[in-house]
Amino acid sequence: LKVTFCVHPENEDWTCFEQSASLDIKSFFGFENTVEKIAMKQYTANIKRGKEVIEYYLNELIAEGITEIPRWVPPEKRALSKPAIVAGVSKRCARRLTERVVCCASNLSADKLDADYIERYLGQLTPMQESCLIRLRQWLQETHKGKIPKDEHILRFLRARDFNVDKAREMLCQSLTWRKQYQVDYILETWRPPAFLQEYYAGGWHFHDSEGRPLYILRLGQMDTKGLVKALGEEALLRHVLSINEEGQKRCEENTKIFGRPITSWTCLVDLEGLNMRHLWRPGVKALLRIIEVVEANYPETLGRLLIVRAPRVFPVLWTLVSPFINDNTRQKFLVYSGNNYQGVGGLVDYIDKEIIPDFLGGGCMCTVPEGGLVPKSLYQTEEALENSDHIKLWTETIYQSAHVFKGAPHEIVIEILEGSSVITWDFDILKGDLVFNIFHSKRSPQNSKKDPSASTPGVNNVQLIEKSWVLGVDYSMVESPLMCREGESIQGSHITRWPGLYILQWKVNGPAPVSGPALPRVDDVLASLQVSSHKCKVMYYTEVLASEDFRGSMTSLESCHSGFSQLSGGTTSSSQSQSSSLVSR
């Protein structure tokens, strides 16, 4: 923790009080960086408690009739200065902290907003909050090139930073730059969601809550979240989420006019019926956290209330995993109902008019929100296909990669392991053809990645790393038994590495397995090679390396709703010292 006092750069009669802190989390299930960010956000939110202390001593000074405080003079210069009159030692510290507050308050009356305007569009504001809004708006008018946001938009950022003008200005300027760079102001006019999204994305707007807030319904338990990520890609999914937030702000403005009072946030009703661990697989969590980070940075204070209904028994487990990534202010807006506790007094009727409760929750209002369902794997798109978009890219990378595999030309990726007992995890789908998945430990470093000549078509990814001159058992070794994968299957698993070095993950067309030394092919292998359904296969994959201490209990690569859970080996789940692994589950 570091506290700094300095003279304000724009007004030497003001004293700036700055407090900063640093936090380093060494182990948190592989999400250390995200936890650090959220912890710092929580620390920022707690600074308002310090503000209450400052206001307390400010009131003490006012009660004593003190309206001016002389500038503090260092001890070595104090003898040359006119002595200051102080009320006591404890008051001296308080006066240093409150000097800026007093000086700011003395300048509040220079400009005022119309009281009717505040009541009609902004809600209740203290004189200090009103002054902060005026100062930030004036600064934008003087320095910002481009469209100046509305007062209610500026106010959201001030509230998110507890009316610290400097921090709110920094956050707002970054957001305005982001909006201009990615043309977010025009997203409602330019974004055209794919047709299948309207069928499988189980979310939509549904009237308003009892306070006039726009109501958004999300039937999360009915959604194939994994299928949506693989069919849409993170880019399109984020763009769709942004369009929902933009639509929410637009509806807030409309409801403000309809109800004659300021409505600046919306309510979200989340139905968790059908939710289970398949909704939290590691790549999906990674994409979700990236989306949350973008939304929190650019749409602060837009969520008024989150109503969670029909929470299943598994929800406490999921909440334990997710809650560390949600700050205290947002968490206070959550109301969770398990089973049928949402019905009757004390349930949804306290927040949503009875005639508006959706029919699938026992109400009498017909809800047009889609029911979701499994996304057909035929809709899954490779990252090359997702790149063919006219939109300015919000993200420069995708979580899932894809590759074509040809007969005689496997696709291979190399992973460098620096410490033994690290865990290689994977999640891949066979979109076309039948493949064999292998993991090798290499004693040699691949020189240059080779691309199969038959894969010279633009956008086709096919990389070969194992040289034909390499000898299995000499230059590289197999660390897992080959896994046969059929078209349409989803494969998840992990491998605990025994040694540091280079590991090669290989997908090849189903055919004879490699042998070490001269040997005649088996009859079964010959028949298998003749029964290959296609000479061109396609795979979509995700890999990640975790330290062994981060892997135990972490959100690993879980199965999609197309199949059951991934089965991690006993060695993976019981002891990080074991060298067992898992190449299973479909």
Side-chain angles (χ1 to χ4, degrees):
L1 179 66
K2 182 179 180 182
V3 177
T4 305
F5 297 91
C6 63
V7 178
H8 194 281
E10 298 177 1
N11 190 335
E12 62 179 11
D13 291 331
W14 291 0
T15 298
C16 294
F17 169 73
E18 295 184 1
Q19 179 175 309
S20 60
S22 61
L23 177 67
D24 184 18
I25 299 176
K26 295 183 178 180
S27 178
F28 197 90
F29 308 136
F31 292 104
E32 292 78 15
N33 292 336
T34 304
V35 173
E36 287 180 9
K37 292 180 181 179
I38 293 176
M40 292 308 297
K41 288 182 180 179
Q42 292 177 337
Y43 165 77
T44 302
N46 289 335
I47 290 179
K48 66 181 181 181
R49 298 175 184 173
K51 179 182 176 182
E52 294 175 357
V53 175
I54 294 177
E55 291 177 344
Y56 170 79
Y57 284 108
L58 178 60
N59 293 330
E60 289 278 309
L61 293 173
I62 294 174
E64 295 177 15
I66 299 176
T67 57
E68 293 185 7
I69 302 176
R71 179 183 298 183
W72 180 79
V73 179
E76 60 272 13
K77 296 182 180 181
R78 192 168 296 169
L80 303 177
S81 305
K82 187 176 181 179
I85 300 176
V86 296
V89 176
S90 62
K91 291 295 189 297
R92 276 202 296 269
C93 295
R95 288 167 187 172
R96 296 176 194 172
L97 294 176
T98 58
E99 182 177 358
R100 183 181 180 189
V101 178
V102 173
C103 294
C104 288
S106 65
N107 291 283
L108 291 182
S109 59
D111 195 1
K112 291 278 186 179
L113 293 174
D114 182 75
D116 292 337
Y117 168 75
I118 294 177
E119 182 180 358
R120 180 72 171 78
Y121 294 101
L122 303 180
Q124 295 182 351
L125 295 177
T126 66
M128 178 62 73
Q129 292 171 345
E130 181 182 338
S131 174
C132 291
L133 174 59
I134 293 171
R135 288 167 53 197
L136 184 51
R137 185 180 64 183
Q138 288 178 341
W139 182 87
L140 289 171
Q141 291 172 342
E142 294 171 359
T143 62
H144 184 68
K145 296 180 180 179
K147 183 180 178 181
I148 303 298
K150 297 179 180 179
D151 286 343
E152 50 265 41
H153 188 89
I154 299 175
L155 201 54
R156 287 192 182 102
F157 287 83
L158 284 167
R159 287 184 173 129
R161 291 296 178 261
D162 198 25
F163 286 89
N164 182 308
V165 175
D166 293 335
K167 293 182 178 180
R169 176 171 56 193
E170 179 182 2
M171 182 184 184
L172 178 57
C173 287
Q174 290 177 352
S175 179
L176 292 175
T177 301
W178 171 82
R179 295 182 69 88
K180 183 177 181 181
Q181 180 180 357
Y182 298 110
Q183 301 179 6
V184 180
D185 287 339
Y186 309 103
I187 195 168
L188 291 179
E189 292 78 21
T190 59
W191 167 241
R192 295 293 179 267
F196 73 86
L197 184 62
Q198 299 178 8
E199 179 180 356
Y200 296 104
Y201 189 88
W205 295 99
H206 181 77
F207 299 101
H208 54 78
D209 69 5
S210 56
E211 297 181 17
R213 294 192 185 104
L215 177 62
Y216 189 84
I217 293 179
L218 184 65
R219 304 185 68 176
L220 183 59
Q222 304 299 315
M223 286 174 57
D224 178 9
T225 51
K226 184 174 184 178
L228 286 173
V229 170
K230 291 189 175 184
L232 282 174
E234 306 94 277
E235 171 74 27
L237 189 59
L238 172 60
R239 195 170 291 276
H240 187 62
V241 172
L242 295 182
S243 69
I244 293 173
N245 280 271
E246 290 292 313
E247 178 69 21
Q249 289 187 332
K250 182 179 177 182
R251 287 174 177 261
C252 286
E253 294 178 3
E254 293 173 352
N255 285 15
T256 296
K257 298 176 182 178
I258 294 173
F259 293 98
R261 61 178 183 272
I263 296 174
T264 59
S265 59
W266 43 284
T267 294
C268 186
L269 172 60
V270 181
D271 179 20
L272 295 185
E273 185 184 43
L275 182 80
N276 56 49
M277 292 298 290
R278 64 183 164 83
H279 289 88
L280 280 183
W281 83 109
R282 192 171 185 84
V285 172
K286 204 169 184 179
L288 175 62
L289 294 179
R290 290 168 69 180
I291 291 175
I292 290 176
E293 186 175 359
V294 172
V295 172
E296 285 191 345
N298 298 282
Y299 299 93
E301 299 297 317
T302 56
L303 179 63
R305 184 179 292 115
L306 183 66
L307 303 172
I308 300 176
V309 298
R310 297 201 283 193
R313 292 183 178 180
V314 73
F315 177 74
V317 179
L318 304 184
W319 178 250
T320 301
L321 296 173
V322 174
S323 59
F325 305 101
I326 304 174
N327 61 50
D328 287 336
N329 290 339
T330 302
R331 197 154 38 210
Q332 292 173 1
K333 301 174 182 178
F334 283 38
L335 292 172
V336 182
Y337 300 93
S338 60
N340 294 322
N341 293 335
Y342 65 91
Q343 299 177 350
V345 179
L348 293 183
V349 292
D350 289 352
Y351 307 99
I352 303 175
D353 293 341
K354 188 174 182 179
E355 59 271 15
I356 295 179
I357 295 178
D359 53 343
F360 63 86
L361 292 178
C365 186
M366 183 64 66
C367 183
T368 58
V369 173
E371 297 183 359
L374 293 178
V375 178
K377 290 196 175 185
S378 59
L379 296 176
Y380 287 9
Q381 300 186 57
T382 63
E383 75 272 15
E384 290 86 9
L386 295 172
E387 284 293 324
N388 297 327
S389 172
D390 296 332
H391 294 296
I392 299 175
K393 300 302 178 185
L394 291 159
W395 281 336
T396 57
E397 59 180 15
T398 60
I399 290 180
Y400 282 95
Q401 307 296 317
S402 60
H404 289 80
V405 184
F406 301 89
K407 190 174 183 179
H411 177 69
E412 298 162 340
I413 61 174
V414 63
I415 297 177
E416 184 177 6
I417 299 297
L418 301 179
E419 298 182 1
S421 296
S422 297
V423 183
I424 302 174
T425 66
W426 56 81
D427 173 8
F428 62 86
D429 286 85
I430 310 301
L431 303 184
K432 182 180 179 181
D434 297 340
L435 295 176
V436 177
F437 178 59
N438 288 297
I439 302 180
F440 303 101
H441 179 264
S442 175
K443 297 181 179 179
R444 299 178 58 177
S445 176
Q447 297 301 315
N448 295 310
S449 61
K450 304 169 301 190
K451 291 197 174 184
D452 182 69
S454 62
S456 58
T457 305
V460 173
N461 185 20
N462 178 267
V463 178
Q464 300 166 58
L465 300 172
I466 298 178
E467 303 286 342
K468 291 185 177 180
S469 60
W470 289 13
V471 178
L472 183 63
V474 178
D475 300 293
Y476 67 111
S477 58
M478 185 178 294
V479 296
E480 291 282 358
S481 300
L483 180 67
M484 302 299 178
C485 311
R486 301 295 183 184
E487 181 175 324
E489 290 182 337
S490 295
I491 312 296
Q492 292 79 32
S494 61
H495 172 78
I496 300 179
T497 61
R498 181 175 297 179
W499 317 277
L502 300 176
Y503 285 78
I504 297 176
L505 275 58
Q506 180 194 76
W507 293 267
K508 61 179 293 184
V509 172
N510 190 359
V515 294
S516 57
L520 293 175
R522 297 182 304 170
V523 175
D524 292 343
D525 292 334
V526 175
L527 293 176
S529 64
L530 294 176
Q531 294 174 355
V532 174
S533 59
S534 173
H535 70 284
K536 179 179 178 181
C537 304
K538 186 187 297 184
V539 61
M540 177 181 287
Y541 62 91
Y542 163 86
T543 63
E544 185 176 2
V545 177
L546 299 174
S548 58
E549 62 269 18
D550 294 332
F551 181 75
R552 293 187 62 187
S554 68
M555 289 173 284
T556 57
S557 179
L558 301 179
E559 263 290 2
S560 70
C561 54
H562 178 71
S563 49
F565 287 107
S566 297
Q567 300 298 318
L568 302 178
S569 70
T572 299
T573 56
S574 62
S575 171
S576 61
Q577 300 301 320
S578 171
Q579 308 306 327
S580 301
S581 61
S582 160
L583 276 170
V584 297
S585 77
R586 293 182 279 279

